[in-house]
């Protein structure tokens, strides 16, 4: 039995060890951040390792930001359980952490006869999954709820508790809570090797040697590689699946209230039309299998197809300009279920193949990891009064920073990002370590002009702060 | 200056102020309109500018020719912008800097925020002079990755002229509009050497002997050429282009998307003013009035295609006369 007070075996006695903890978490995506929070709250000392300069740089960088109910998850699976658990816990904690929730509801819309036939099965599955507030609705009710939706929508299942959240502030808040309560984070720390001596793991990272009793592999797109590197084998192979998105201007937000889901197929949830927490409207993702784990390229044809698809579902989009385009890569594997490895002998847990449901399921997965550790007969003493930090609000429907006087200046006019917000994101306990990290924390340059007005000022503010900066060769102009 | 302090004090005290005409934007159009209105005898004008410096886009066009008609001299953009701002200040027209309009309400009721807080401005008439901006890479649906080193001319010029920084050294320039050549000028000044300028048509988009300009700047002009794909992880590494069906890769460290101006009509769009379906400019009648008669629009917000500063200045004067007539006939 290991407790906080009994962590003498973990002391960083040797000078060459950079850091040590009860649990090392590999990967600063949403899953790693949620695991860090949960285990910290349960009383473990945690150290999160991220190979990129900042967290949320892999799969978690581009997802659909939907809080799922799990109505269409495979019944009885761990994914289903974690999605439901994650949904419940998010609702419980979001206010205290300052995390937004947009209660949109969702509609699974059948656009043709064939899809309409499949609706019944989806509805039934929802019931089996314990989501008992689904409703089959007809054309009239669809029109009442979404008057701007194309009238060719034949029938739908209404899912009242599918919501929209902030995909980046949520994991940031989880990790921040871990850090506020003693957790540690090392960025630019790729795990390159390591060994287990029967009691402890010694992990070699690009920043130095770290030591822990347990390791939780949350390496997302690199999950299989980390297992191979450290365990010599992996139960699964990551088969990266790219999803492209088109983001429409905020003016589109008034066209629709809910998330418009297609009738799902076996492989993917399909192309979704949904409002974002930032007040935009989005169409995506595609599901494109590829070899590369980091090539998030977009392509003209697919983007045009997505925009057209959006306009077919919501004709009013024809008059709305496109704000942004991007792609995310999901860590799919050769099989659909989550790929969990619980290596009792080697104090190792892998959370692999956490695909599109990861944002919701992360909190549930984190609890699952804790219960697995308990199976290892590890007991920590839960924190009695954990600190509950709040993250800044970026949601459009809640008061933003510029509403409070004394914000300095508005740097990004499209997204109304203030210099006070940027300064806060550059400092504090989990500061931005890259431009994209700063964007995720503040939304700077993510609006309709994409930096036309503000990138010069932003370049000035961030000068010399990041390894890759907006300006080049800054001293010799 | 005194008046502007007064307006600030008033607005602070009651968070609501009223005026005859509120002008959104202090570029050439907004400034010209303010001066013309003042000349007509309208004294309670407020110019709202979201930046911390007035003057609009010319502030970061560090090259001539600006101001020929207005000041009978050839000035550079920044000098011209400063001169415009100075003129409204000499006329005691309040120019409120760092004041962002967040919503256009019915009948000219504006929601405004500044670092001091929020306020409402109840204006009898509002002139929208928010100008124009270039289409960014995203809205052009260009294929490839999204590394650093991709920007518009506006961002490049603001970086070079206002911040003394450069976003790249060897970019590919996309487009051959007037602004594209303004961009070349900026590049030259900042020691940036574009690898090429590409244009998808078989001729440049400006009538002047542009190929000469390209030769002067030492930048090859490739016609019938489109950008196929951007390559690079952290920073742009190369770009695939297609020149008359031949694909090739060009090594560069940035992509400068120039032109394809779109009106900065987001306020109008969010404020439920009717927009023109094809140009996305606010729909105006022959007097420059928008679908809500309290609102007028002028300058590059309504010009399609976009025009140079002097023409915007002229457009500001003309709209001011219309606003004056409108106020006059309404007994205001």
């Amino acid at each position: 039995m290991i407790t906080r007070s009994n962590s003498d075996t973990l002391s960083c006695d040797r000078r060459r060890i950079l850091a040590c903890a009860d649990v090392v978490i590999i990967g600063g995506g949403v899953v790693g951040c949620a695991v860090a929070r949960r285990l910290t709250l349960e009383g473990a000392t945690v150290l999160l390792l991220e190979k990129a300069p900042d967290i949320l740089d892999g799969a978690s960088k581009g997802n659909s930001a939907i809080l799922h109910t799990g109505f269409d998850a495979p019944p009885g699976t761990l994914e289903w359980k974690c999605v439901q658990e994650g949904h419940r816990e998010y609702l419980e904690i979001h206010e205290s952490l300052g995390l937004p929730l947009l209660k949109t509801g969702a509609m699974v819309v059948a656009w043709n006869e064939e899809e309409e036939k499949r609706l019944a099965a989806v509805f039934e599955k929802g019931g089996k999954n314990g989501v008992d507030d689904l409703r089959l609705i007809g054309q009239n009710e669809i029109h009442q709820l979404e008057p701007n939706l194309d009238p060719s929508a034949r029938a739908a299942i209404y899912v009242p508790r599918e919501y929209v959240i902030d995909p980046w502030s949520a994991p940031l808040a989880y990790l921040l809570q871990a850090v506020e309560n003693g957790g540690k984070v090392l960025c630019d720390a790729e795990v390159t090797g390591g060994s287990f001596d029967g009691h402890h793991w010694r992990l070699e990272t690009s920043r130095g040697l770290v030591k822990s009793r347990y390791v939780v592999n949350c390496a997302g797109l690199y999950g299989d590689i980390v297992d191979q590197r450290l365990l010599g084998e992996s139960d699964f192979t990551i088969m990266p699946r790219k999803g492209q998105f088109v983001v429409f201007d905020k003016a589109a937000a008034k066209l629709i209230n809910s998330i418009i889901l297609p009738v799902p197929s076996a492989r993917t949830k399909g192309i979704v039309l949904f409002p974002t927490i930032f007040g935009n409207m989005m169409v995506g993702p595609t599901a494109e299998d590829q070899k590369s784990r980091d090539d998030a390229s977009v392509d003209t044809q697919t983007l045009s197809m997505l925009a057209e698809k959006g306009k077919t579902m919501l004709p009013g989009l024809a008059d709305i300009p496109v704000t942004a385009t991007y792609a995310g890569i999901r860590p799919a594997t050769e099989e659909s279920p989550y790929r969990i490895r619980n290596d009792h002998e080697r104090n190792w847990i892998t959370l692999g193949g956490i695909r599109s449901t990861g944002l919701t399921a992360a909190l549930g997965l984190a609890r699952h990891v804790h219960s697995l550790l308990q199976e290892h007969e590890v007991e920590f003493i839960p924190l009695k009064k954990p600190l509950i930090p709040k993250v800044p609000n970026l949601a459009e429907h809640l008061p933003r920073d510029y509403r409070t006087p004394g914000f300095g200046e508005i740097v990004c006019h499209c997204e109304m990002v203030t210099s006070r917000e940027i300064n806060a994101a550059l400092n504090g306990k989990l500061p931005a370590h890259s431009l994209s990290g700063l964007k995720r924390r503040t939304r700077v340059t993510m609006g309709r002009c994409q930096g036309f007005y503000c990138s010069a000022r932003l370049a000035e503010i961030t000068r010399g702060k990041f390894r890759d900066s907006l300006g080049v060769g800054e001293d010799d102009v | 200056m005194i008046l502007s302090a007064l307006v600030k004090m008033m607005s602070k005290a009651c968070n609501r102020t009223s005026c005859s005409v509120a002008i959104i934007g202090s570029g050439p159009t907004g400034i010209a309109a303010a001066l013309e209105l003042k000349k007509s005898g309208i004294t309670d004008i407020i110019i709202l500018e979201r930046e911390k410096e007035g003057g609009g886009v010319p502030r970061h066009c560090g090259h001539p020719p600006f101001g020929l008609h207005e000041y009978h001299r050839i000035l550079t953009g920044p000098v011209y912008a400063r001169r415009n701002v100075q003129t409204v200040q000499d006329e005691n027209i309040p120019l409120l800097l760092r004041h962002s309009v967040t919503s256009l309400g019915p009948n000219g009721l504006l929601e405004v925020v500044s670092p001091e807080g929020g306020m409402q401005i109840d204006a009898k008439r509002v002139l929208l002079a928010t100008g124009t901006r270039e289409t960014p890479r995203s809205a052009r649906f260009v294929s490839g990755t999204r590394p650093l080193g991709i920007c518009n001319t506006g961002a490049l010029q603001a970086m070079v002229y206002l911040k003394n920084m450069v976003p790249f050294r060897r970019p590919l320039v996309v487009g051959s509009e007037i602004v594209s050549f303004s961009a070349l000028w900026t590049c030259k000044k900042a020691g940036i050497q574009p690898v090429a300028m590409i244009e998808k048509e078989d001729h440049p988009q400006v009538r002047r002997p542009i190929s000469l300009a390209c030769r002067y700047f030492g930048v090859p002009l490739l016609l019938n050429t489109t950008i196929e794909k951007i390559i690079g992880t952290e920073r742009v590494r190369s770009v695939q282009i297609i020149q008359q069906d031949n694909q090739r890769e060009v090594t560069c460290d940035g992509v400068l998307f120039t032109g394809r101006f779109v009106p900065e009509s987001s306020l109008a769009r969010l404020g439920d003013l009717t927009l023109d379906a094809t140009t996305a400019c606010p729909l105006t009648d022959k007097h420059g009035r928008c679908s809500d008669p309290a609102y007028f629009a002028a300058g590059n917000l309504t010009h399609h295609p976009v025009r140079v500063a002097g023409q915007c200045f002229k457009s500001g004067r003309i709209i001011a006369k219309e606003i004056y007539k409108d106020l006059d006939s309404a007994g205001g």
Side-chain angles (χ1 to χ4, degrees):
Chain A
M1 175 165 152
I2 308 293
T3 66
R4 278 178 86 78
S5 53
N6 185 19
S7 56
D8 52 338
T9 48
L10 295 171
S11 59
C12 298
D13 44 358
R14 293 190 196 174
R15 287 181 69 194
R16 59 191 213 95
I17 292 178
L18 187 68
C20 54
D22 294 332
V23 185
V24 156
I25 296 159
I26 304 175
V30 63
V31 176
C33 292
V35 171
R37 170 180 171 272
R38 171 53 48 205
L39 296 184
T40 303
L41 295 179
E42 297 296 346
T45 57
V46 308
L47 169 66
L48 183 140
L49 304 175
E50 168 56 51
K51 75 175 170 57
D54 204 346
I55 59 165
L56 310 179
D57 197 63
S60 300
K61 162 159 79 175
N63 63 59
S64 317
I66 296 172
L67 190 69
H68 295 290
T69 54
F71 77 94
D72 60 345
T77 58
L78 180 69
E79 178 176 358
W80 163 76
K81 192 183 140 219
C82 289
V83 165
Q84 293 215 323
E85 187 59 33
H87 189 280
R88 186 200 59 72
E89 189 173 351
Y90 186 86
L91 294 189
E92 189 183 295
I93 65 173
H94 79 93
E95 271 179 33
S96 62
L97 293 170
L99 292 171
L101 182 72
L102 193 59
K103 293 195 168 184
T104 53
M107 253 186 222
V108 184
V109 179
W111 298 94
N112 57 44
E113 214 180 319
E114 187 268 324
E115 287 176 355
E116 193 175 349
K117 279 185 193 147
R118 281 196 281 141
L119 271 189
V122 177
F123 184 79
E124 207 176 300
K125 196 176 185 183
K128 269 188 209 155
N129 276 334
V131 183
D132 50 15
D133 52 359
L134 303 184
R135 276 190 298 127
L136 275 166
I137 58 176
Q139 259 177 329
N140 279 346
E141 203 175 339
I142 295 177
H143 186 72
Q144 270 171 17
L145 289 166
E146 296 296 351
N148 296 314
L149 206 62
D150 191 82
S152 65
R154 297 169 68 97
I157 298 171
Y158 188 63
V159 194
R161 290 180 298 115
E162 294 267 306
Y163 301 139
V164 164
I165 63 173
D166 179 337
W168 303 304
S169 294
L172 183 72
Y174 304 158
L175 189 57
L176 189 63
Q177 192 175 19
V179 170
E180 289 279 3
N181 289 285
K184 298 267 186 301
V185 180
L186 266 186
C187 287
D188 276 319
E190 180 178 356
V191 177
T192 51
S195 60
F196 181 65
D197 65 7
H199 299 282
H200 295 108
W201 275 98
R202 281 165 170 275
L203 299 178
E204 292 148 24
T205 81
S206 42
R207 294 276 299 271
L209 201 60
V210 302
K211 187 177 160 188
S212 72
R213 273 191 74 86
Y214 292 89
V215 176
V216 186
N217 172 4
C218 306
L221 287 159
Y222 297 84
D224 54 344
I225 294 179
V226 168
D227 269 9
Q228 277 156 13
R229 254 182 218 171
L230 278 299
L231 304 178
E233 60 183 9
S234 174
D235 306 339
F236 59 92
T237 308
I238 291 291
M239 309 185 64
R241 187 173 294 158
K242 184 168 75 181
Q244 302 189 44
F245 293 90
V246 172
V247 185
F248 284 89
D249 191 85
K250 290 179 197 250
K254 58 188 169 196
L255 296 175
I256 210 159
N257 306 303
S258 42
I259 302 159
I260 307 299
L261 301 163
V263 182
S265 71
R267 188 162 157 272
T268 158
K269 282 180 172 294
I271 292 167
V272 187
L273 174 70
F274 57 104
T276 75
I277 203 87
F278 314 113
N280 298 89
M281 175 69 57
M282 238 156 82
V283 184
T286 50
E288 306 163 51
D289 292 325
Q290 63 178 33
K291 289 234 162 63
S292 170
R293 297 167 194 247
D294 55 13
D295 180 7
S297 293
V298 292
D299 72 87
T300 313
Q301 264 188 334
T302 309
L303 296 174
S304 312
M305 179 277 287
L306 284 173
E308 281 313 307
K309 178 105 188 164
K311 289 170 198 170
T312 318
M313 293 190 267
L314 192 66
L317 276 183
D319 300 327
I320 310 284
V322 167
T323 292
T325 60
Y326 70 93
I329 308 174
R330 356 208 232 285
T333 67
E334 60 275 59
E335 285 169 36
S336 161
Y338 288 174
R339 311 299 289 271
I340 310 298
R341 181 187 188 117
N342 180 16
D343 193 329
H344 224 294
E345 317 261 282
R346 286 186 279 187
N347 293 2
W348 183 281
I349 296 167
T350 302
L351 304 178
I354 316 296
R355 297 159 292 105
S356 32
T357 48
L359 180 65
T360 310
L363 293 169
L365 278 162
R367 286 180 181 273
H368 183 64
V369 166
H370 180 237
S371 69
L372 291 179
L373 284 178
Q374 283 175 318
E375 278 175 29
H376 285 251
E377 290 167 16
V378 189
E379 293 245 354
F380 304 109
I381 300 168
L383 301 187
K384 282 207 183 73
K385 276 192 177 171
L387 297 171
I388 307 175
K390 264 191 164 44
V391 288
N393 169 56
L394 300 177
E396 188 84 352
H397 68 289
L398 298 170
R400 292 276 309 275
D401 187 63
Y402 72 84
R403 295 283 177 200
T404 310
F407 54 70
E409 65 183 293
I410 290 174
V411 174
C412 166
H413 297 291
C414 300
E415 293 295 315
M416 298 295 277
V417 183
T418 69
S419 53
R420 182 168 60 192
E421 282 175 300
I422 292 176
N423 287 334
L426 290 173
N427 298 292
K429 288 230 159 128
L430 269 179
H433 289 303
S434 67
L435 266 170
S436 40
L438 184 64
K439 290 181 185 185
R440 289 192 285 273
R441 282 170 181 78
T442 62
R443 295 202 53 70
V444 67
T445 74
M446 288 174 97
R448 49 181 77 90
C449 90
Q450 294 280 299
F452 177 89
Y453 294 111
C454 70
S455 50
R457 178 73 181 117
L458 184 65
E460 182 182 47
I461 294 174
T462 56
R463 187 178 216 152
K465 291 219 160 42
F466 304 131
R467 194 164 53 205
D468 295 294
S469 58
L470 280 165
V472 295
E474 286 164 353
D475 303 321
D476 51 344
V477 176
Chain B
M1 278 322 254
I2 303 163
L3 210 62
S4 102
L6 198 70
V7 169
K8 255 189 185 169
M9 257 166 58
M10 270 164 50
S11 61
K12 247 189 196 170
C14 55
N15 278 339
R16 181 155 178 164
T17 184
S18 58
C19 63
S20 288
V21 184
I23 297 171
I24 306 177
S26 71
T29 308
I31 298 266
L35 293 172
E36 191 67 30
L37 282 164
K38 183 79 194 290
K39 217 181 343 172
S40 320
I42 293 177
T43 46
D44 54 338
I45 308 161
I46 297 175
I47 309 175
L48 297 162
E49 171 56 56
R50 62 188 191 178
E51 299 289 346
K52 57 183 171 188
E53 212 185 342
V57 163
R59 278 180 312 133
H60 49 74
C61 298
H63 53 73
F66 286 85
L68 194 59
H69 294 288
E70 301 87 315
Y71 302 111
H72 309 293
R73 292 182 58 184
I74 294 177
L75 310 171
T76 64
V79 174
Y80 170 73
R82 277 198 294 276
R83 185 109 182 226
N84 279 346
V85 170
Q86 190 57 51
T87 316
V88 294
Q89 281 171 350
D90 292 346
E91 290 291 330
N92 275 327
I93 301 169
L95 166 58
L96 304 188
L97 301 174
R98 300 188 197 213
H99 277 61
S100 306
V101 178
T102 55
S103 102
L104 309 179
N107 309 315
L109 187 63
L110 307 177
E111 301 280 345
V112 180
V113 292
S114 76
E116 285 86 43
M119 67 192 261
Q120 283 186 324
I121 296 180
D122 194 356
K124 286 189 190 132
R125 298 293 180 271
V126 177
L127 172 62
L128 305 176
T130 47
T132 182
R133 60 177 161 79
E134 297 160 287
T135 303
R137 177 262 175 100
S138 57
R140 298 172 188 234
F141 282 0
V142 174
S143 298
T145 53
R146 303 183 307 124
L148 286 166
I150 302 171
C151 69
N152 287 123
T153 316
L156 166 74
Q157 294 185 328
M159 260 177 109
V160 169
Y161 293 120
L162 303 180
K163 309 297 177 193
N164 213 26
M165 296 168 85
V166 294
F168 37 55
R169 289 286 180 204
R170 303 268 297 150
L172 177 80
V173 181
V174 181
S176 66
E177 301 178 26
I178 291 181
V179 66
S180 320
F181 296 93
S182 166
L184 289 188
W185 196 307
T186 308
C187 287
K188 176 137 183 112
K189 191 181 153 92
I192 298 166
Q193 184 57 48
V195 292
M197 173 183 273
I198 64 169
E199 165 58 49
K200 69 175 189 314
E201 302 296 331
D202 59 5
H203 55 274
Q205 296 304 294
V206 274
R207 265 173 296 169
R208 279 172 260 175
I210 277 325
S211 42
L212 281 178
C214 273
R215 207 171 301 158
Y216 170 71
F217 290 116
V219 178
L221 173 64
L222 311 178
L223 298 170
N224 297 307
T225 306
T226 52
I227 180 163
E228 177 71 359
K229 191 178 183 184
I230 296 172
I231 300 162
T233 359
E234 296 306 334
R235 215 165 265 288
V236 175
R237 205 177 65 228
S238 64
V239 168
Q240 271 176 18
I241 57 171
I242 296 192
Q243 187 177 17
Q244 286 170 332
D245 297 332
N246 295 320
Q247 187 187 308
R248 67 184 169 104
E249 203 166 316
V250 179
T251 306
C252 56
D253 68 350
V255 185
L256 180 64
F257 287 99
T258 65
R260 277 182 61 182
F261 280 94
V262 289
E264 183 50 82
S265 47
S266 352
L267 271 175
R269 183 180 273 116
L270 294 169
D272 281 327
L273 295 180
T274 311
L275 301 185
D276 184 288
T278 44
T279 61
C281 301
L283 203 61
T284 52
D285 64 11
K286 62 178 181 194
H287 305 291
R289 195 171 12 208
C290 302
S291 55
D292 177 334
Y295 290 89
F296 285 73
N300 273 337
L301 173 63
T302 57
H303 294 158
H304 194 82
V306 65
R307 295 188 199 154
V308 296
Q311 289 167 312
C312 290
F313 199 92
K314 210 190 254 172
S315 151
R317 275 185 173 158
I318 294 167
I319 200 79
K321 291 191 177 113
E322 294 288 352
I323 294 173
Y324 176 77
K325 265 193 270 173
D326 191 45
L327 279 172
D328 199 40
S329 66

